[in-house]
Amino acid sequence: MKHHAYAQTPPLGWNSWDCYGASVTEEEVRGNADYMAEHLKAHGWEYVVVDIQWYEPGAYSSRYRPFVPLEMDEYSRLMPATNRFPSAEGGGGFRELADYVHGLGLKFGIHIMRGIPRQAVHADTKILGTDVTARQIAHPNSICPWNTDMYGVDPAQEGAQAYYDSLFELYAQWGVDYVKVDDIADSRLYGYHEGEVELIRRAIDGCGRDMVLSLSPGPAHVDRAEHLIGHANLWRMTDDYWDHWFLLRGMFERCEAWAPHVGPGHFPDCDMLPLGRIGIRSVDGGDEDRLTRFTRDEQVTMMTLWSLFRSPLMFGGELRSNDEWTLSLLTNDEVLAVSRDGHEPRPLPRRAGDPDSVRIWTSRRPDGGLNVGLFNLGDEPAEIALALGEIASAPDARVRDLWARQSEAAPEGMLRAQLPPHGSRLFAVSAAE
């Protein structure tokens, strides 16, 4: 499928939601892009994504203001709020900001909501290139339960495709490389919006620019996997994910269900990494302006699972506030290679005698070896012992601890790890030379 070529490996980037909610500014986007270019680009990080409501002049946090005026052009298309994105003045949209990001050697992304703006429908504004108006293609009973900005689009109506075509033609003019579409992978009211997904796929295919398509929020349903693979690059398999241990523990079950559907160009998405300084103006995760609640062991466990499973890695914190520890999580090239080059992520079947807190995951390495993750999901320390023969490796295989970046012995063909509560280890197991 053509669109799979746009993201052969899981995207790595920054998204503004966890730290700025709906209120990020151009200065903040540029600042985080500068940091990525200086500290992360050499390690494969490349996407800078402006999340929701960049078109809302009065946005101040992740609390949405209902039924407020939005910036919009004459053709029913939302435009950046110029008080927050000054370079958009004069109708240029995100072109100048995207050029700045591209000039750093990075890629630029935006968030949009499915559908057409309510204010366009109420004003009955035009659809570019047609005699159709917003009211004629709107589906007023198809609404988002948590945001009032949009009505759904009725795919059966003449002009529906033309509307989405006009959106993505505009985004192509701006230089957008990545689009995250919300309220579409699973609406709390209406389920999966298959028809609008197909409109969007056709619009991207016809816009003349390669764009990665990410669908939110979740949980997307596994019985829709083939349609998702056929139309998108990424899709959320969870609702908004924050820095709570119970959410991280629950992600193991979600990953088990979706593992068979991971492949080049199509990646189930565990959601953003709530690491570093988050909640600056985003209140969904708890107290404002704070550091992640995850312990260091939990942070390593999350990065290990996301990398083995090959989830997209989208950092949610304010990059410029990173300490050395947080930066080290993002710049371990041996761990990032597991995300980039691994394939066929799988959980090992539960073994007799293991407590329920033990999880073991593997993925295949390009050299024919295996990446092996050992996880202790319990609240007490635990030892995990794994015979290398259980994972079809020779007993004299070479073992390397990828977080520590050092080789280890495996006496008698056994891989052993003493793990703290909520802790993990990540190994590369390769045939002996």
Side-chain angles (χ1 to χ4, degrees):
M1 297 176 186
K2 177 184 174 184
H3 65 278
H4 289 171
Y6 307 161
Q8 281 284 289
T9 59
L12 278 64
W14 173 80
N15 179 294
S16 60
W17 172 257
D18 282 359
C19 50
Y20 293 115
S23 67
V24 71
T25 67
E26 181 168 353
E27 181 279 328
E28 289 158 344
V29 175
R30 288 178 183 248
N32 278 273
D34 290 340
Y35 180 98
M36 183 179 291
E38 181 178 356
H39 298 284
L40 300 177
K41 182 173 73 170
H43 303 277
W45 297 80
E46 59 180 346
Y47 289 95
V48 175
V49 181
V50 179
D51 210 86
I52 193 168
Q53 287 198 299
W54 37 266
Y55 42 80
E56 209 277 78
Y60 64 91
S61 76
S62 53
R63 291 194 174 111
Y64 306 116
R65 302 194 311 145
F67 306 109
V68 295
L70 309 174
E71 297 276 356
M72 190 180 77
D73 74 0
E74 62 183 309
Y75 296 113
S76 311
R77 301 177 299 186
L78 295 170
M79 303 293 285
T82 55
N83 64 320
R84 292 168 51 199
F85 297 92
S87 70
E89 193 73 49
F94 277 130
R95 177 77 254 183
E96 187 174 322
L97 180 55
D99 285 347
Y100 182 83
V101 171
H102 294 153
L104 297 172
L106 303 173
K107 295 181 179 179
F108 180 69
I110 60 172
H111 170 292
I112 66 171
M113 296 291 292
R114 124 189 120 80
I116 190 164
R118 284 181 188 241
Q119 71 182 46
V121 176
H122 296 165
D124 206 20
T125 47
K126 300 176 182 178
I127 304 301
L128 181 66
T130 76
D131 296 325
V132 176
T133 63
R135 195 170 297 166
Q136 292 172 268
I137 68 168
H139 191 334
N141 290 328
S142 179
I143 60 172
C144 174
W146 42 266
N147 181 284
T148 62
D149 294 343
M150 315 293 275
Y151 287 126
V153 165
D154 183 347
Q157 296 302 316
E158 180 184 354
Q161 187 66 62
Y163 166 70
Y164 272 114
D165 288 349
S166 75
L167 285 186
F168 284 89
E169 287 165 6
L170 180 66
Y171 303 156
Q173 293 168 16
W174 290 349
V176 171
D177 306 295
Y178 179 111
V179 179
K180 172 184 173 183
V181 185
D182 214 334
D183 189 43
I184 197 165
D186 180 58
S187 167
R188 294 173 189 168
L189 293 177
Y190 307 106
Y192 180 50
H193 293 275
E194 181 175 307
E196 286 192 79
V197 170
E198 292 173 2
L199 293 175
I200 290 167
R201 176 76 271 145
R202 288 192 289 269
I204 295 176
D205 290 345
C207 77
R209 185 176 181 85
D210 297 350
M211 295 183 196
V212 174
L213 176 59
S214 169
L215 302 181
S216 278
H221 297 287
V222 175
D223 62 359
R224 298 287 192 168
E226 290 307 310
H227 194 267
L228 288 159
I229 291 169
H231 293 83
N233 299 105
L234 324 170
W235 55 89
R236 284 260 298 276
M237 54 181 201
T238 175
D239 204 342
D240 281 4
Y241 170 81
W242 283 98
D243 47 336
H244 298 286
W245 170 247
F246 75 91
L247 293 176
L248 175 50
R249 176 165 183 150
M251 199 64 70
F252 283 81
E253 291 184 12
R254 297 181 187 276
C255 290
E256 284 192 28
W258 278 101
H261 306 289
V262 176
H266 53 93
F267 303 100
D269 185 357
C270 296
D271 201 11
M272 286 174 283
L273 299 163
L275 294 172
R277 185 184 175 202
I278 56 179
I280 297 171
R281 293 197 302 277
S282 179
V283 299
D284 286 7
D287 297 333
E288 294 192 39
D289 201 354
R290 61 182 175 81
L291 297 178
T292 182
R293 283 184 289 246
F294 282 137
T295 67
R296 288 192 172 189
D297 289 324
E298 291 166 350
Q299 292 173 51
V300 171
T301 290
M302 178 171 61
M303 287 293 296
T304 299
L305 178 63
W306 267 233
S307 297
L308 276 166
F309 180 69
R310 306 195 77 201
S311 172
L313 299 177
M314 285 288 170
F315 188 84
E318 165 55 73
L319 286 170
R320 294 170 292 180
S321 297
N322 280 354
D323 56 16
E324 287 301 315
W325 163 259
T326 305
L327 181 59
S328 74
L329 294 174
L330 310 181
T331 54
N332 185 317
D333 290 328
E334 296 187 46
V335 173
L336 294 175
V338 173
S339 169
R340 183 186 65 245
D341 301 328
H343 58 102
E344 296 182 29
R346 295 290 184 270
L348 207 65
R350 308 289 168 79
R351 304 178 304 169
D354 277 346
D356 183 58
S357 59
V358 169
R359 297 290 188 279
I360 302 173
W361 273 76
T362 66
S363 69
R364 297 193 176 279
R365 297 175 59 82
D367 63 6
L370 290 175
N371 302 302
V372 182
L374 308 181
F375 299 92
N376 173 21
L377 308 188
D379 296 330
E380 301 294 333
E383 179 183 47
I384 300 179
L386 176 66
L388 295 181
E390 290 185 56
I391 52 175
S393 294
D396 57 349
R398 292 178 295 124
V399 175
R400 184 168 177 81
D401 184 321
L402 299 183
W403 282 111
R405 306 193 205 201
Q406 63 186 25
S407 297
E408 288 203 359
E412 300 178 344
M414 295 294 295
L415 193 60
R416 297 183 184 275
Q418 294 284 347
L419 298 179
H422 308 173
S424 62
R425 299 278 297 279
L426 178 61
F427 300 97
V429 179
S430 306
E433 294 178 343

